[in-house]
Amino acid sequence: MSTTSLMIPRLVVATIGRFASNGVQLIQVDGIVHYPRGGRSQVRHYSNVRLAEVGKLESLRLDASYSVGQIFLHRIFGYRGVILFPWLAKVYDRDIAANKAKEKTGEQEHEPTAFSHIGREVKSKTHHYYQVLIDSRDCPYIRAQTEAVTFLGNQENSRSLYAIPGLDYVAHEDIMPYASTEKNPLHHELFDKFLQYSPDSDPPFIARDTLKAWQEKNHPWLELSDVHKETTENVRVTVIPFYMGCRESHNNNVYWWRYCIRIENVGELNTQLRERHWRIFSLSGTLETVRGRGVVGQEPVLTKLSPAFQYSSHVSLQAPSGHMWGTFRMEREDGCTFDCRIPPFSLESKHDEAKD
């Protein structure tokens, strides 16, 4: 596999580090710090940056999936990771649906009501995502929760949630593969349990039987099936829901989901998330409204250097299905405020085996 230099011809060995104030992932070339942004390399000169050699960047795979054991850098969050196994997801991109509607009518789309916003037909496209491990050395610097993958306890009446640290889901376009000469290039307690070094393989790490058994056993609550996207005023929101299982509480069945949300600024102006507004509909007929400041106790600022923030949360219903939608109140650096739409997504209970 050929190596690439992020469009910097003189790059021989890529090294990464951290800028202490914001955790930007860095690559050093001849004493100059470069960082990848939108497929281009931008240059910043920093002092007092600790750098560690990790290996050589490889060519991106545009038309093929990455293999189990591939070491990579995350394009947006900058962390080092390794691929455990792939998922083939259905992506519902409302931006594509809206653009097609405009082209068809030749008119600008009117602001939808809540009902039409939910009911708008959006066709899915299949897309590769990957289950990955995050290097524990990078976790303190990531603008994303590193204990976001959670599951329910095994007891049927248990409402306890357990987390697996350093587990994430990554879209194909966010993988920046690199080759490392180290036998243990990633720090994570599950790395050696799931993967073994195989110098004759490409990549040189292959799945152990423990990884295959773990994937099969936990497939119901790990499975990624649907991804929802929508952009408002240059802020893109991506939502991935997961069914976690059903538990009994006070003689009633309670169905649990977790959902992962990524908020990304794709514009030029710094933008801050100020408030959240959720609407949660249950098949039992209830409609709940939730309002509050920020998300998970934070009001993240999305800048060109740190354009994205990712978090996870949970919802429970006393019905096997429902759906959610809402808005984030955003404030730009020019003082303008606007409501950024959260794409509506279904809550479906797909796996009875998740109770086992």
Side-chain angles (χ1 to χ4, degrees), residues 80-154:
R80 289 163 285 185
V82 62
I83 292 174
L84 296 181
F85 43 82
W87 295 108
L88 194 59
K90 292 181 293 184
V91 177
Y92 298 87
D93 193 332
R94 304 181 81 81
D95 299 336
I96 295 176
N99 291 336
K100 286 184 177 179
K102 291 178 186 179
E103 293 173 0
K104 186 175 182 180
T105 61
E107 300 177 355
Q108 289 190 349
E109 182 186 26
H110 296 292
E111 181 70 19
T113 63
F115 179 81
S116 65
H117 183 54
I118 297 168
R120 182 196 299 161
E121 181 180 358
V122 181
K123 294 182 179 180
S124 67
K125 289 188 175 181
T126 56
H127 192 67
H128 275 102
Y129 277 71
Y130 302 94
Q131 195 85 65
V132 309
L133 293 180
I134 303 172
D135 194 308
S136 59
R137 294 169 294 183
D138 297 340
C139 287
Y141 308 99
I142 302 171
R143 299 192 77 201
Q145 291 175 306
T146 56
E147 295 187 356
V149 179
T150 54
F151 61 98
L152 292 169
N154 291 327

Side-chain angles (χ1 to χ4, degrees), residues 51-351:
L51 299 173
E53 182 179 318
V54 297
K56 295 181 180 179
L57 292 171
E58 297 180 331
S59 299
L60 302 178
R61 292 190 178 183
L62 302 180
D63 301 317
S65 61
Y66 294 104
S67 301
V68 173
Q70 176 66 61
I71 305 294
F72 69 93
L73 301 180
H74 194 291
R75 182 180 64 91
I76 297 297
F77 295 116
Y79 63 72
R80 289 163 285 185
V82 62
I83 292 174
L84 296 181
F85 43 82
W87 295 108
L88 194 59
K90 292 181 293 184
V91 177
Y92 298 87
D93 193 332
R94 304 181 81 81
D95 299 336
I96 295 176
N99 291 336
K100 286 184 177 179
K102 291 178 186 179
E103 293 173 0
K104 186 175 182 180
T105 61
E107 300 177 355
Q108 289 190 349
E109 182 186 26
H110 296 292
E111 181 70 19
T113 63
F115 179 81
S116 65
H117 183 54
I118 297 168
R120 182 196 299 161
E121 181 180 358
V122 181
K123 294 182 179 180
S124 67
K125 289 188 175 181
T126 56
H127 192 67
H128 275 102
Y129 277 71
Y130 302 94
Q131 195 85 65
V132 309
L133 293 180
I134 303 172
D135 194 308
S136 59
R137 294 169 294 183
D138 297 340
C139 287
Y141 308 99
I142 302 171
R143 299 192 77 201
Q145 291 175 306
T146 56
E147 295 187 356
V149 179
T150 54
F151 61 98
L152 292 169
N154 291 327
Q155 297 78 14
E156 293 230 347
N157 60 351
S158 171
R159 297 181 63 184
S160 299
L161 293 175
Y162 300 87
I164 300 179
L167 202 62
D168 198 8
Y169 296 84
V170 181
H172 183 85
E173 63 272 17
D174 288 336
I175 298 289
M176 296 178 60
Y178 72 90
S180 173
T181 57
E182 300 178 285
K183 291 185 178 181
N184 294 291
L186 199 88
H187 289 200
H188 193 289
E189 60 182 352
L190 295 177
F191 183 79
D192 289 332
K193 295 180 174 64
F194 286 165
L195 299 167
Q196 67 183 41
Y197 184 64
S198 177
D200 296 329
S201 302
D202 185 19
F205 300 96
I206 60 175
R208 294 182 184 270
D209 291 339
T210 50
L211 174 59
K212 300 172 184 177
W214 184 80
Q215 178 186 8
E216 182 177 352
K217 177 182 178 181
N218 299 293
H219 183 277
W221 60 267
L222 282 174
E223 182 184 13
L224 185 158
S225 58
D226 297 340
V227 178
H228 304 265
K229 297 184 176 185
E230 186 164 6
T231 304
T232 308
E233 299 283 344
N234 289 322
V235 176
R236 180 184 298 129
V237 177
T238 302
V239 184
I240 308 176
F242 301 87
Y243 177 61
M244 299 177 67
C246 177
R247 295 293 182 267
E248 186 174 325
S249 177
H250 304 294
N251 297 322
N252 292 318
N253 286 330
V254 179
Y255 299 84
W256 285 83
W257 292 264
R258 75 178 184 276
Y259 53 92
C260 178
I261 292 188
R262 179 165 124 181
I263 310 155
E264 183 178 358
N265 182 5
V266 296
E268 297 296 321
L269 297 179
N270 296 346
T271 305
Q272 185 170 14
L273 190 156
R274 291 297 193 182
E275 300 174 4
R276 68 187 185 280
H277 177 204
W278 282 105
R279 304 275 278 177
I280 307 169
F281 177 76
S282 171
L283 187 63
S284 63
T286 61
L287 179 62
E288 181 181 1
T289 298
V290 178
R291 294 180 181 268
R293 296 288 298 181
V295 291
V296 293
Q298 300 186 51
E299 296 181 23
V301 179
L302 310 178
T303 68
K304 292 193 73 173
L305 284 177
S306 300
F309 182 82
Q310 182 174 293
Y311 76 97
S312 288
S313 191
H314 304 85
V315 63
S316 62
L317 301 176
Q318 292 187 356
S321 64
H323 56 255
M324 294 176 62
W325 70 98
T327 57
F328 292 126
R329 173 58 59 91
M330 311 296 295
E331 181 178 356
R332 283 200 297 258
E333 62 178 308
D334 60 5
C336 175
T337 61
F338 61 95
D339 287 331
C340 177
R341 293 186 294 271
I342 305 170
F345 56 96
S346 297
L347 302 171
E348 301 291 343
S349 53
K350 301 177 181 178
H351 305 288

